[in-house]
Amino acid sequence: MSAKSPPKKKSWSWRSQAFRGLLYQLVAIAAITAVVWFLAHNTLYNMKVRGIQSGFDFLSGPAGFDIGESLYPFDSAQPYWQAFVVGLTNTLRVAIVGIILTTILGTLLGIGRFSRNALVRGLCYAYVEFFRNVPVLLQLLMWYLFFTEALPAAAEAWKVGPFFLSKGGLAFPVPVWASGQFWAAVGLLAGAVLALVYRKWALRRFEATGQIRSMFWVPLAICLGVSLLGWAAGGAPTAFDYPMMGEFAIEKGGSLTPEFLSVLLGLTVYTAAFVAEVVRSGIASVAQGQGEAAAALGLNPGQSMRLVQLPQALRVIIPPMTNQFLNLTKNSSLAVAIGYPDVVSIANTALNQTGRAVECIAIVMLVYLVTSLSTSLLMNWYNSRAAIKER
Amino acid sequence: MKSYKLKALLAIVGAIGALLAAPAHAGKTLDGVKARGQLVCGVNTGLAGFAAADSAGKWSGLDVDVCRALAAAVLSDPEKVKYVPLNAQQRFTALQSGEIDVLPRNTTFTLTRDASLGLSITVPNYYDGQGFMVPLKSKIKSAKQLKGQTVCVQSGTTTEKNLTDYSKANGLGIKPVVFEKLEAAENAYFTGRCISYTTDASGLASTRNKVAKDPKEHVILADLISKEPLGPMVRRGDDEWFAIVKWVMYGMLEAEEYGVMQSNVDQMKSSTDPVVQRLLGGGNEDTGKLLGLDKDWMARVIKAVGNYGESFERNVGPKSPLGLPRGVNNLWNKGGLMYAYPVR
């Protein structure tokens, strides 16, 4: 017979550990609040006494400066807060594309360390050791120097088909916007949904009958096919805006500036070295018996890695991977050294034109905090999905 | 229990500190300089002709001469200066916080800087304008030909805003490439990333002279798109120090007007001209006392750096490596804009 334990008495005395713990927490919170309040109050008081104006009202005034590159047109008469938004889109542009590229490159490098080919193993090892140990600012400067020194001037740009590569960046033809592109994009989304539905169905058929169906090529074909249908439905537009040689530089068409390319490639190559090590440690953490068992079941090394080892390695890979994604996002603030107008560069300009140093730095900190927290939340959700479900 | 008491004590001390927090430097700059025995001067990180250190670490330039003049006036020794190199972003914060005493750093006088930073503009020591530099082989003759082109510019300066205003007023759609460091902006222009580089015309001359592999390959366009009166700035709330900086500048100009030079200061001290006497403390005149200095304040300044004309010729004039013409920086009675208020 199990006896019920006596109910715990709440005693508010010094000898109660729970009471003491609560008291210490309250005192710690009060101390932290006092320090923060003291810092804020002191700053505001000093600024007022010295006649330094403060406040966020400057955000609604006209910016008065142009931004070298942006996703959408920005005019200098627009308010400062819109300039900050443009800076934010520039940062996100580099961060998102960078994260995707660095994951792909890093994973390939990490897996390459386990290759049976000694040359591949050696190259991956050399890559990681070199790019991990050179400071990232130097790497960005190196890439920028390459783009501005090694490439020819715009007047003598290298022409490959309709593409131009020069000191002015990579110029490519952009489709002239008509409704056809919009329907093509809609078709792509619809195709993606259909492809996922197909994959679920194919998985169910496999588990019922054991018959393997293509899980990659057929869904891809579905995506592209529906997208093509959308494009055709929208009038099948084929007009492109081709870049052309102007008086001093390439005109028309779309272009990726050397600043954007340097930041992107520099950060991708640097962070991929770290991601490679994270992936390698994840794969090494999977018991060797798993690989042997997979081989015994008749899976080839590629399938064994893809279906057995990597999914188990994900548990170890994802938390440090989050770190690397956040590092890449925050390292993009170094873009200000090579002329890419990210949010730090815009904040610098705003700071110097308005003198509101504390406010501008606070905005930049907030932007990075929100971006980093969103990335962490997303990765934590993915982590909980990849975790082994305990019973 | 002990840690609770300690935390409480710290919180109380912090709160008392907050209540007692007072600004450290309002109205006390002169006393601080005298007590320290050294003038802390904020200057450019490296702009030939204005403030640059040579390989031995010795600073020279038009702005450096302002520092030396102030040290000679206040501390009797032009060498008692600590130079703090500052980039465009740090300069105002360094002055606001009290890290430096004065900021002669080729800074343009604008309304925003005078009104909203807790700082004051003094007297310009160089009237400049913003210009463009282009390669000779581009055959560009006027800034209006830069339609849709890329122009390299340094962040944190009035240059960006002027470029935008000019671009908008003339419908040029110029694409700026903005760099944090001066060296990065210069390099990007010289490697050919941008077709043009823009900053104050004096800065263009300095850059072309220092960085270009072949200065003759680069042309500074004649269009000046803005007014850039450059001069030292001081903190607000210290009228005494403000007056000292202002009148040292005016004194150097007045000295040039009345022919007082580095070489003849000692003879001029015994001059009977009352204007020169008031300037140099000859006879019974003592203008320095009214400023909180002594009667030889201006004599020491001229002995240390010469008058304004000599400082100009030595650092940025036609015979110096920069080769800038006196132009609008000449005295008012010689066709320029330099008009010293009377030192009396």
Side-chain angles (χ1 to χ4, degrees), chain A residues 38 42 45 49-53 64-66 68 75-77 144 149 167 258-259 336 338-339 348-349 352-353 355, chain B residues 1 4 7 18 21 23-24 88-89 96 112 116-118 138 140 149 156 160-161 164 168 176-180 191 193:
Chain A
F38 165 66
N42 201 24
Y45 174 74
V49 162
R50 287 160 205 226
I52 302 171
Q53 295 177 358
F65 59 93
D66 282 330
D75 183 70
S76 56
Y144 192 60
E149 298 253 14
K167 281 197 226 274
E259 287 80 35
V336 70
I338 59 171
N348 259 352
T349 306
N352 283 289
Q353 288 192 0
Chain B
M1 266 171 268
Y4 159 57
K7 276 186 210 165
Q89 272 93 324
Q96 285 166 339
T112 314
S116 73
L117 297 180
S138 69
I140 297 178
Q149 301 302 327
E160 267 183 277
K161 202 168 188 141
T164 308
K168 209 166 179 157
V177 185
V178 180
F179 297 85
E180 187 184 16
T191 58
R193 165 71 183 97

Side-chain angles (χ1 to χ4, degrees), chain A residues 368-390:
Chain A
Y368 277 110
L369 194 65
V370 168
T371 314
S372 299
L373 284 176
S374 317
T375 313
S376 310
L377 275 174
L378 202 70
M379 293 300 284
N380 281 342
W381 166 80
Y382 185 50
N383 194 20
S384 57
R385 261 192 35 155
I388 287 188
K389 309 273 186 289
E390 311 250 322

Side-chain angles (χ1 to χ4, degrees), chain A residues 14 23-24 27-28 30-31 34 37-38 41-42 45-46 49-53 62-69 75-78 80 144-145 148-149 153-154 167-169 247-249 251 257-259 335-341 345 348-349 351-357, chain B residues 1 3-4 7-8 11 14-15 17-19 21-26 88-89 91-93 96-98 112-113 115-119 138-140 145 147 149 155-157 160-165 167-168 174-181 184 188 191-193 195 235-236:
Chain A
W14 286 113
L23 190 65
Y24 291 156
V27 169
W37 178 85
F38 165 66
H41 174 78
N42 201 24
Y45 174 74
N46 279 341
V49 162
R50 287 160 205 226
I52 302 171
Q53 295 177 358
F65 59 93
D66 282 330
I67 299 180
E69 59 175 299
D75 183 70
S76 56
Q78 289 175 287
Y80 273 106
Y144 192 60
L145 218 62
T148 53
E149 298 253 14
K167 281 197 226 274
E247 201 181 340
F248 309 111
E251 285 162 20
T257 58
E259 287 80 35
V336 70
I338 59 171
Y340 180 65
S345 172
N348 259 352
T349 306
L351 193 159
N352 283 289
Q353 288 192 0
T354 60
R356 309 286 172 101
Chain B
M1 266 171 268
S3 64
Y4 159 57
K7 276 186 210 165
L19 293 171
H25 301 274
Q89 272 93 324
R91 50 184 164 167
F92 299 125
T93 323
Q96 285 166 339
S97 67
T112 314
R113 289 169 179 181
S116 73
L117 297 180
L119 305 173
S138 69
K139 299 206 185 43
I140 297 178
Q145 289 174 274
K147 209 169 159 69
Q149 301 302 327
S155 150
T157 55
E160 267 183 277
K161 202 168 188 141
N162 293 334
L163 183 66
T164 308
D165 293 345
S167 168
K168 209 166 179 157
I174 288 179
K175 290 200 267 290
V177 185
V178 180
F179 297 85
E180 187 184 16
K181 284 199 166 50
T191 58
R193 165 71 183 97
I195 196 82
R235 278 185 292 276
R236 267 199 195 175

